mmCIF file of all heavy atoms in Angstrom:
data_model
loop_
_atom_site.group_PDB
_atom_site.id
_atom_site.type_symbol
_atom_site.label_atom_id
_atom_site.label_comp_id
_atom_site.label_asym_id
_atom_site.label_seq_id
_atom_site.Cartn_x
_atom_site.Cartn_y
_atom_site.Cartn_z
ATOM 1 N N LYS A 5 2.573 10.583 4.071
ATOM 2 C CA LYS A 5 3.403 11.385 4.947
ATOM 3 C C LYS A 5 2.504 12.003 6.009
ATOM 4 O O LYS A 5 1.324 12.231 5.780
ATOM 5 C CB LYS A 5 4.102 12.492 4.163
ATOM 6 C CG LYS A 5 5.095 11.981 3.157
ATOM 7 C CD LYS A 5 5.730 13.136 2.426
ATOM 8 C CE LYS A 5 6.675 12.622 1.362
ATOM 9 N NZ LYS A 5 7.211 13.720 0.553
ATOM 10 N N PRO A 14 -13.816 19.402 14.463
ATOM 11 C CA PRO A 14 -15.226 19.501 14.832
ATOM 12 C C PRO A 14 -15.804 20.839 14.373
ATOM 13 O O PRO A 14 -15.099 21.835 14.271
ATOM 14 C CB PRO A 14 -15.202 19.399 16.364
ATOM 15 C CG PRO A 14 -13.812 19.776 16.751
ATOM 16 C CD PRO A 14 -12.934 19.389 15.608
ATOM 17 N N VAL A 19 -18.735 32.223 17.307
ATOM 18 C CA VAL A 19 -19.532 33.438 17.378
ATOM 19 C C VAL A 19 -20.520 33.281 18.522
ATOM 20 O O VAL A 19 -21.212 32.281 18.627
ATOM 21 C CB VAL A 19 -20.275 33.695 16.052
ATOM 22 C CG1 VAL A 19 -21.130 34.936 16.155
ATOM 23 C CG2 VAL A 19 -19.278 33.818 14.921
ATOM 24 N N ALA A 38 -18.857 44.730 38.247
ATOM 25 C CA ALA A 38 -19.569 46.005 38.248
ATOM 26 C C ALA A 38 -18.861 47.027 39.130
ATOM 27 O O ALA A 38 -19.040 48.217 38.953
ATOM 28 C CB ALA A 38 -20.995 45.789 38.733
ATOM 29 N N GLN A 45 -7.083 47.023 48.615
ATOM 30 C CA GLN A 45 -8.287 46.308 49.037
ATOM 31 C C GLN A 45 -8.299 44.861 48.544
ATOM 32 O O GLN A 45 -9.015 44.029 49.104
ATOM 33 C CB GLN A 45 -9.538 47.016 48.518
ATOM 34 C CG GLN A 45 -9.803 48.354 49.177
ATOM 35 C CD GLN A 45 -10.958 49.067 48.505
ATOM 36 O OE1 GLN A 45 -10.918 49.335 47.302
ATOM 37 N NE2 GLN A 45 -11.981 49.363 49.280
ATOM 38 N N ALA A 58 -16.195 35.819 46.460
ATOM 39 C CA ALA A 58 -16.809 34.814 45.581
ATOM 40 C C ALA A 58 -15.916 34.473 44.389
ATOM 41 O O ALA A 58 -16.067 33.423 43.781
ATOM 42 C CB ALA A 58 -18.169 35.307 45.103
ATOM 43 N N VAL A 75 -0.335 48.484 37.702
ATOM 44 C CA VAL A 75 0.188 47.520 38.679
ATOM 45 C C VAL A 75 0.809 46.300 38.000
ATOM 46 O O VAL A 75 1.917 45.885 38.344
ATOM 47 C CB VAL A 75 -0.943 47.079 39.641
ATOM 48 C CG1 VAL A 75 -0.505 45.927 40.523
ATOM 49 C CG2 VAL A 75 -1.406 48.254 40.488
ATOM 50 N N TRP A 89 1.103 29.986 34.353
ATOM 51 C CA TRP A 89 2.232 30.121 35.287
ATOM 52 C C TRP A 89 2.737 31.558 35.321
ATOM 53 O O TRP A 89 3.120 32.061 36.376
ATOM 54 C CB TRP A 89 3.377 29.159 34.921
ATOM 55 C CG TRP A 89 4.043 29.465 33.617
ATOM 56 C CD1 TRP A 89 3.749 28.936 32.397
ATOM 57 C CD2 TRP A 89 5.120 30.393 33.390
ATOM 58 N NE1 TRP A 89 4.567 29.463 31.426
ATOM 59 C CE2 TRP A 89 5.427 30.366 32.013
ATOM 60 C CE3 TRP A 89 5.862 31.228 34.226
ATOM 61 C CZ2 TRP A 89 6.435 31.147 31.447
ATOM 62 C CZ3 TRP A 89 6.862 32.001 33.654
ATOM 63 C CH2 TRP A 89 7.135 31.957 32.289
#
Side-chain angles (χ1 to χ4, degrees):
K5 294 180 183 175
V19 178
Q45 291 173 301
V75 171
W89 66 266

